[in-house]
């Protein structure tokens, strides 16, 4: 089983619908992240969380919200989906006691299509 | 601000060819530099890293040297295999919180 699990892996939805992408991890890491990947743009950080009580906006947080339900769970929500949120979304984790090591552990991604 | 620029792909090579994927960066101070690889249908995984100038990161036959004078971190491999076909991302980290800044990615296709 994967250490970082994302659900759903694929979702097609319509404009205006609410969507939740879920992430769970068994690595025991405190830090969790949500990125989106767009062709030609690489990965951009949406939100990150250093522990259950700490949530921070990334560079492209508008239109998104997150919830850290537990150390192991970090959900990303699109309250009212729009077509330009069509992308591949990745959850990632990292260790706390090695700041700036740069090693993130990624899930397999959730492909979201907004029609 | 901080940014990473990679050569555009796709890069198409025959098996056993030499690979170079260029990466340059803009950053204040002394960032750490990374190469991540994304195999088809998978998430990204760390390939190699370098945390200070002149460091060489290496893994699985890939190498990259942190060149501060040219602000570069080019990825090289002497003899690529079909199994190296993937998308390669250069990234930098500043601020100590693993908040990586990624380049756009370079797709590599290796043919037998």
């Amino acid at each position: 089983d994967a250490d970082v699990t994302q659900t759903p892996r694929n979702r097609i939805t319509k404009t205006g619908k609410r969507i939740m992408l879920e992430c769970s991890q068994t690595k025991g890491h405190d830090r969790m992240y949500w990125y989106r990947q767009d062709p030609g743009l690489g990965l951009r950080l949406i939100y990150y969380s250093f522990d259950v009580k700490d949530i921070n906006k990334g560079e492209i947080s508008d239109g998104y919200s997150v919830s850290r339900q537990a150390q192991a769970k970090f959900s990303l929500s699109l309250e009212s989906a729009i077509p330009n949120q069509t992308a591949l979304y990745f959850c990632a984790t990292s260790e706390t006691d090695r700041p700036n090591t740069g090693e993130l552990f990624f899930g397999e991604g959730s492909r979201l299509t907004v029609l | 601000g901080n940014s990473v620029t990679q050569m555009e792909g796709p890069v198409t090579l025959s098996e056993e060819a030499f690979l170079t994927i260029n990466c340059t960066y803009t950053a204040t101070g002394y960032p750490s530099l990374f190469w991540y690889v994304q195999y088809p249908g998978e998430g990204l995984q760390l390939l190699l890293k370098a945390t200070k100038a002149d460091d060489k990161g290496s893994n699985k036959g890939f190498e990259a040297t942190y060149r501060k004078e040219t602000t570069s971190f080019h990825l090289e491999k002497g003899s690529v295999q079909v199994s190296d076909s993937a998308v390669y991302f250069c990234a930098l980290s500043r601020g100590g919180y693993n908040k990586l800044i990624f380049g756009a990615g370079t797709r590599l296709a290796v043919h037998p």
Side-chain angles (χ1 to χ4, degrees), chain B residues 47-106:
Chain B
L47 179 60
L48 54 83
K49 67 181 181 185
T51 58
K52 61 183 187 295
D54 299 325
D55 269 1
K56 178 184 285 188
S58 61
N59 186 25
K60 300 181 180 181
F62 291 90
E63 294 183 338
T65 301
Y66 188 152
R67 302 287 189 197
K68 185 166 178 58
E69 63 276 14
T70 55
T71 61
S72 65
F73 193 55
H74 304 322
L75 183 68
E76 296 182 336
K77 187 175 185 182
S79 177
V80 294
Q81 305 300 312
V82 172
S83 57
D84 294 326
S85 298
V87 181
Y88 292 82
F89 292 91
C90 186
L92 68 82
S93 178
R94 288 283 293 129
Y97 296 115
N98 286 1
K99 286 162 48 180
L100 296 182
I101 296 171
F102 288 89
T106 302

Side-chain angles (χ1 to χ4, degrees), chain A residues 9 31 33 35 37 40-43 45 48 50 90 94 98-104 106-108, chain B residues 32 34 36 38 41-46 49 89 93-100 102-105:
Chain A
R9 294 292 311 279
R31 298 182 176 187
Y33 310 77
Y35 283 88
Q37 182 181 14
L41 295 178
L43 278 75
L45 183 62
Y48 60 102
F50 289 162
F90 285 103
S94 68
R98 294 184 181 180
N100 210 33
T101 64
E103 184 157 18
L104 300 180
F106 284 83
E108 294 178 322
Chain B
S32 295
F34 309 88
Y36 275 77
Q38 183 181 26
E42 299 182 10
L44 283 72
Q45 56 186 273
L46 181 65
K49 67 181 181 185
F89 292 91
S93 178
R94 288 283 293 129
Y97 296 115
N98 286 1
K99 286 162 48 180
L100 296 182
F102 288 89

